[in-house]
Amino acid sequence: MARMGDVLAGFHAAWEFESDSVLIRFERGIRTPKLFQALGERRIPIEAIAAVTLTPGKRGTVVLRAEPRPGADPLMEAAAGQLKEACDPYRLVLPGDRETLAEYYADELRAQLIPDDAAEAERYLVAPPEAPLQFKAYDGKASFDGKSVSFRWFWTGASSAKWKAGDQSFAVSELSGVEWRSPEVFEGHLRLLRREPSAVQQPAQADQDPAAVVFGLGYGPVHESLPFAASVLAAVRAAGPSAKSDGAPAARHRDPADIAERIRHLGELHQAGLVTDEEFTSKKAELLAEL
């Protein structure tokens, strides 16, 4: 039987087993993913875990992973499956010689799981990153104080539409969710979704939407923008039951002229070698499908 306070240390993190939770402490070493360093430590209640797996890893390692319940962790809800495997905070990579020990703890955790814990959680069970939080996007600075989100535009990156709209502030009570698209993909951004439909429909492209900031090379990095999105999402959900968002973007139709411009820009990135052939073909198809 695992004893309270038992610790299983792996690469970049250590798991401390408690009576009703697992405390994950992330290292702050130079090789540790920046997202882990930003998170510091996280307490994962047993009821927030749907399953536990132990699988072979790369270069003779083994990987212990706790599968979070849908709806239990605002960080994973905001990420919406976009995190790279190496940045998954629920993975503990261990040297191969600790496989037997890892199997022991995996079995101990499985024994504590409740059969229906794979069902979607009715509320967030894992604490979100704490506000205040902020980060620099390509076109502005995003700030969250726990009650409202503010965007302050940069003259070097913001579109004329955003300059015309002016700096923005959104109370949590006005929002229904958050749409985070990783800065590591084309058109990465953070968009605030409104609770009440406004008189003017939100523009399809984030660089024209005053309720969104766009990312870019060196802007809105995962370790800054994702914890920010998770914190806002948790506050939105706490504000009311209707605030829950599945992270899926709303269906939008773009102007044909805008589609042509976006494809032209995509082509320039492709020619410059910043977008692969596969990414170019895939994204072009997505854009054409929005006509």
Side-chain angles (χ1 to χ4, degrees):
M1 180 73 179
R3 293 168 303 190
M4 186 171 175
D6 280 4
V7 175
L8 182 61
F11 298 109
H12 308 315
W15 288 14
E16 182 175 336
F17 298 89
E18 302 182 343
S19 59
D20 60 353
S21 62
V22 177
L23 178 61
I24 301 177
R25 290 194 173 96
F26 298 103
E27 292 180 356
R28 297 189 179 276
I30 192 170
R31 295 184 179 180
T32 302
K34 288 183 178 180
L35 177 61
F36 293 177
Q37 296 184 50
L39 293 174
E41 66 177 44
R42 312 189 80 216
R43 188 178 302 279
I44 312 298
I46 298 299
E47 63 176 326
I49 300 174
V52 179
T53 61
L54 185 65
T55 56
K58 298 177 181 178
R59 295 185 290 277
T61 61
V62 292
V63 179
L64 178 63
R65 185 176 191 273
E67 177 72 33
R69 283 176 65 185
D73 184 349
L75 187 84
M76 303 306 282
E77 293 297 295
Q82 298 173 81
L83 279 179
K84 291 182 177 179
E85 189 176 71
C87 289
D88 181 351
Y90 284 84
R91 294 174 80 247
L92 181 65
V93 182
L94 300 146
D97 60 8
R98 296 189 191 172
E99 182 174 5
T100 301
L101 187 60
E103 184 64 64
Y104 166 74
Y105 283 113
D107 287 341
E108 289 294 309
L109 279 176
R110 292 185 190 113
Q112 296 182 66
L113 300 183
I114 302 171
D116 65 354
D117 270 0
E120 185 165 356
E122 296 181 359
R123 61 184 175 85
Y124 288 135
L125 302 171
V126 182
E130 293 183 4
L133 294 165
Q134 61 182 33
F135 69 89
K136 286 185 178 181
Y138 174 72
D139 55 359
K141 179 181 178 181
S143 304
F144 179 52
D145 63 6
K147 296 181 179 179
S148 62
V149 181
S150 299
F151 294 153
R152 300 289 178 262
W153 308 123
F154 296 150
W155 69 270
T156 51
S159 64
S160 58
K162 291 184 177 180
W163 273 114
K164 184 176 180 181
D167 290 343
Q168 300 288 304
S169 182
F170 303 88
V172 165
S173 58
E174 298 176 44
L175 307 175
S176 66
V178 177
E179 175 185 295
W180 182 78
R181 292 294 173 265
S182 174
E184 297 174 347
V185 300
F186 183 67
E187 291 194 331
H189 63 263
L190 182 141
R191 189 195 303 268
L192 304 176
L193 305 178
R194 314 287 185 89
R195 185 185 295 274
E196 298 293 337
S198 60
V200 180
Q201 185 178 16
Q202 285 187 252
Q205 61 274 29
D207 63 352
Q208 300 296 314
D209 187 354
V213 289
V214 298
F215 304 148
L217 190 61
Y219 294 96
V222 172
H223 70 280
E224 294 181 359
S225 62
L226 180 57
F228 184 104
S231 185
V232 175
L233 190 60
V236 168
R237 187 165 178 182
S242 63
K244 186 178 173 187
S245 169
D246 61 5
R252 302 179 177 93
H253 292 284
R254 295 186 176 181
D255 182 270
D258 174 60
I259 293 289
E261 175 61 22
R262 306 298 280 188
I263 291 177
R264 183 191 66 76
H265 177 60
L266 183 64
E268 291 176 351
L269 294 175
H270 182 229
Q271 289 183 344
L274 299 175
V275 174
T276 65
D277 292 345
E278 183 178 338
E279 290 172 332
F280 173 74
T281 302
S282 174
K283 188 60 189 178
K284 182 178 178 181
E286 286 182 25
L287 291 169
L288 292 173
E290 294 180 25
L291 286 172

